[in-house]
Coordinates of all heavy atoms in Angstrom, one line a residue:
A62 N -1.4 -4.7 13.1 CA -0.4 -3.7 13.5 C 0.1 -2.9 12.2 O 0.6 -1.8 12.3 CB 0.8 -4.3 14.2
S63 N 0.2 -3.6 11.1 CA 0.7 -3.0 9.9 C 0.2 -3.7 8.6 O -0.3 -4.9 8.8 CB 2.2 -3.0 9.9 OG 2.7 -4.3 9.8
C64 N 0.4 -3.1 7.5 CA 0.1 -3.8 6.2 C 1.1 -5.0 6.0 O 0.7 -6.0 5.5 CB 0.2 -2.8 5.1 SG -0.3 -3.5 3.5
T65 N 2.3 -4.8 6.4 CA 3.3 -5.9 6.3 C 2.8 -7.1 7.1 O 2.9 -8.2 6.5 CB 4.7 -5.4 6.8 OG1 5.0 -4.2 6.1 CG2 5.7 -6.4 6.6
Q66 N 2.4 -6.9 8.3 CA 1.8 -8.0 9.1 C 0.6 -8.5 8.5 O 0.3 -9.8 8.5 CB 1.5 -7.5 10.5 CG 2.7 -7.2 11.4 CD 3.3 -8.5 11.9 OE1 2.7 -9.6 11.7 NE2 4.3 -8.3 12.7
A67 N -0.3 -7.7 7.9 CA -1.5 -8.1 7.2 C -1.2 -9.1 6.1 O -1.8 -10.1 6.0 CB -2.3 -6.9 6.7
I68 N -0.1 -8.8 5.3 CA 0.2 -9.6 4.2 C 0.8 -11.0 4.7 O 0.4 -12.0 4.3 CB 1.2 -8.9 3.2 CG1 0.6 -7.7 2.6 CG2 1.7 -9.9 2.1 CD1 1.6 -6.7 1.9
T89 N 7.7 -3.1 -5.9 CA 6.8 -3.0 -4.8 C 7.6 -2.6 -3.6 O 8.9 -2.5 -3.6 CB 6.1 -4.3 -4.5 OG1 5.0 -4.1 -3.5 CG2 7.0 -5.4 -4.1
F90 N 7.0 -2.4 -2.4 CA 7.7 -2.1 -1.2 C 8.3 -3.4 -0.6 O 7.7 -4.4 -0.6 CB 6.8 -1.4 -0.2 CG 7.4 -1.1 1.1 CD1 8.5 -0.2 1.1 CD2 7.0 -1.6 2.3 CE1 9.2 0.1 2.3 CE2 7.7 -1.3 3.5 CZ 8.8 -0.4 3.5
C91 N 9.5 -3.2 -0.2 CA 10.3 -4.4 0.3 C 9.5 -5.2 1.4 O 9.6 -6.4 1.5 CB 11.6 -4.1 0.8 SG 11.6 -2.9 2.2
G92 N 8.7 -4.5 2.2 CA 8.0 -5.2 3.3 C 7.0 -6.2 2.8 O 6.8 -7.2 3.4
A93 N 6.5 -6.0 1.6 CA 5.5 -6.9 1.0 C 6.2 -8.2 0.6 O 5.6 -9.3 0.6 CB 4.8 -6.3 -0.2
C137 N -0.3 -5.8 -6.2 CA -0.1 -4.5 -5.6 C -0.7 -3.4 -6.4 O -0.5 -3.3 -7.6 CB 1.4 -4.3 -5.4 SG 1.8 -2.7 -4.7
A138 N -1.5 -2.7 -5.8 CA -2.2 -1.5 -6.4 C -1.3 -0.3 -6.4 O -1.5 0.7 -5.8 CB -3.5 -1.2 -5.7
L139 N -0.2 -0.4 -7.1 CA 0.9 0.6 -7.0 C 0.4 2.0 -7.4 O -0.2 2.2 -8.4 CB 2.1 0.2 -7.9 CG 3.3 1.1 -7.7 CD1 4.1 0.6 -6.5 CD2 4.2 1.2 -8.9
G140 N 0.7 2.9 -6.5 CA 0.3 4.3 -6.7 C -1.2 4.5 -6.5 O -1.6 5.7 -6.5
D163 N -2.1 -6.4 -2.0 CA -1.5 -5.3 -1.2 C -2.1 -4.0 -1.6 O -1.8 -3.4 -2.6 CB 0.0 -5.4 -1.5 CG 0.8 -4.2 -0.8 OD1 0.1 -3.4 -0.2 OD2 2.0 -4.2 -0.9
A164 N -3.1 -3.6 -0.8 CA -3.8 -2.3 -1.1 C -3.3 -1.2 -0.2 O -4.1 -0.3 0.2 CB -5.3 -2.6 -0.9
A165 N -2.0 -1.2 0.1 CA -1.4 -0.2 0.9 C -1.6 1.2 0.3 O -1.6 2.2 1.0 CB 0.1 -0.4 1.2
H166 N -1.8 1.3 -1.0 CA -1.9 2.6 -1.7 C -3.4 2.9 -1.9 O -3.8 3.9 -2.6 CB -1.2 2.6 -3.0 CG 0.3 2.5 -2.8 ND1 1.3 2.5 -3.8 CD2 1.0 2.5 -1.6 CE1 2.5 2.5 -3.3 NE2 2.4 2.4 -2.0
L186 N -4.5 -3.4 4.0 CA -4.5 -2.0 4.0 C -3.4 -1.5 5.0 O -3.0 -2.2 5.9 CB -5.8 -1.4 4.5 CG -7.1 -1.7 3.7 CD1 -8.3 -1.2 4.5 CD2 -7.0 -1.2 2.3
S187 N -2.9 -0.3 4.7 CA -1.9 0.4 5.6 C -2.4 1.7 6.1 O -3.0 2.5 5.3 CB -0.6 0.6 4.9 OG 0.3 1.3 5.7
F188 N -2.1 2.0 7.4 CA -2.4 3.4 7.9 C -1.1 4.1 8.3 O -1.1 4.9 9.2 CB -3.4 3.2 9.1 CG -4.6 2.4 8.7 CD1 -4.9 1.2 9.4 CD2 -5.5 2.8 7.7 CE1 -5.9 0.4 9.0 CE2 -6.6 2.0 7.4 CZ -6.8 0.8 8.0
Y189 N -0.1 3.7 7.6 CA 1.2 4.3 7.8 C 1.1 5.8 7.5 O 0.2 6.3 6.8 CB 2.3 3.7 6.9 CG 3.6 4.2 7.0 CD1 4.4 4.0 8.1 CD2 4.2 4.9 5.9 CE1 5.7 4.5 8.2 CE2 5.5 5.4 6.0 CZ 6.2 5.2 7.1 OH 7.5 5.8 7.2
T191 N 2.3 8.1 5.6 CA 2.2 8.7 4.3 C 0.9 8.2 3.5 O 0.7 8.7 2.4 CB 3.4 8.3 3.4 OG1 3.4 6.8 3.3 CG2 4.7 8.8 4.1
K192 N 0.2 7.3 4.0 CA -0.9 6.6 3.2 C -2.1 7.5 3.1 O -2.3 8.5 3.7 CB -1.1 5.2 3.7 CG 0.1 4.4 3.8 CD 0.8 4.0 2.5 CE 2.2 3.6 2.6 NZ 2.5 2.2 2.7
G197 N -0.4 6.9 11.4 CA 1.0 6.8 11.9 C 1.5 5.4 11.6 O 2.4 5.3 10.8
E198 N 0.9 4.5 12.2 CA 1.2 3.1 12.0 C -0.2 2.3 12.1 O -1.1 2.7 12.8 CB 2.2 2.4 13.0 CG 3.5 3.1 13.0 CD 4.4 2.7 11.8 OE1 4.0 1.8 11.0 OE2 5.5 3.2 11.7
G199 N -0.3 1.2 11.4 CA -1.5 0.4 11.5 C -1.8 -0.3 10.2 O -1.3 0.1 9.1
G200 N -2.6 -1.3 10.3 CA -3.0 -2.0 9.1 C -4.3 -2.8 9.3 O -4.9 -2.8 10.4
H302 N -3.0 7.7 -4.9 CA -2.1 7.8 -3.7 C -0.7 8.5 -4.1 O -0.2 9.2 -3.3 CB -1.8 6.4 -3.2 CG -0.8 6.4 -2.1 ND1 -1.0 7.0 -0.9 CD2 0.5 5.8 -2.0 CE1 0.1 6.9 -0.1 NE2 1.0 6.2 -0.8
H328 N 9.1 5.3 -5.8 CA 8.3 4.2 -5.5 C 8.3 3.2 -6.6 O 7.7 3.3 -7.6 CB 6.8 4.5 -5.2 CG 6.7 5.5 -4.1 ND1 6.8 6.8 -4.2 CD2 6.4 5.2 -2.8 CE1 6.6 7.4 -3.0 NE2 6.4 6.4 -2.1
F329 N 9.2 2.2 -6.5 CA 10.1 1.9 -5.4 C 11.4 1.6 -6.0 O 11.5 1.4 -7.2 CB 9.5 0.7 -4.6 CG 8.3 1.0 -3.8 CD1 7.0 0.7 -4.4 CD2 8.4 1.6 -2.6 CE1 5.9 1.0 -3.6 CE2 7.2 1.8 -1.8 CZ 6.0 1.5 -2.4
Ligands
PLP424 C1 3.6 1.2 2.9 C2 3.5 -0.1 2.1 C3 3.5 -1.3 2.7 C4 3.7 -1.5 4.1 O1 2.8 -0.9 4.9 P1 3.1 -0.9 6.5 O2 1.7 -0.6 7.1 O3 4.1 0.2 6.8 O4 3.6 -2.2 6.9 C5 3.3 -2.4 1.9 N1 3.2 -2.3 0.5 C6 3.2 -1.1 -0.1 C7 3.1 -1.1 -1.6 C8 3.4 0.0 0.7 O5 3.5 1.2 0.0

Side-chain angles (χ1 to χ4, degrees):
S63 69
C64 184
T65 305
Q66 287 281 0
I68 298 169
T89 188
F90 180 59
C91 60
C137 177
L139 190 83
D163 175 355
H166 294 178
L186 302 175
S187 175
F188 310 114
Y189 181 69
T191 59
K192 305 294 160 90
E198 298 285 356
H302 176 59
H328 298 84
F329 288 98

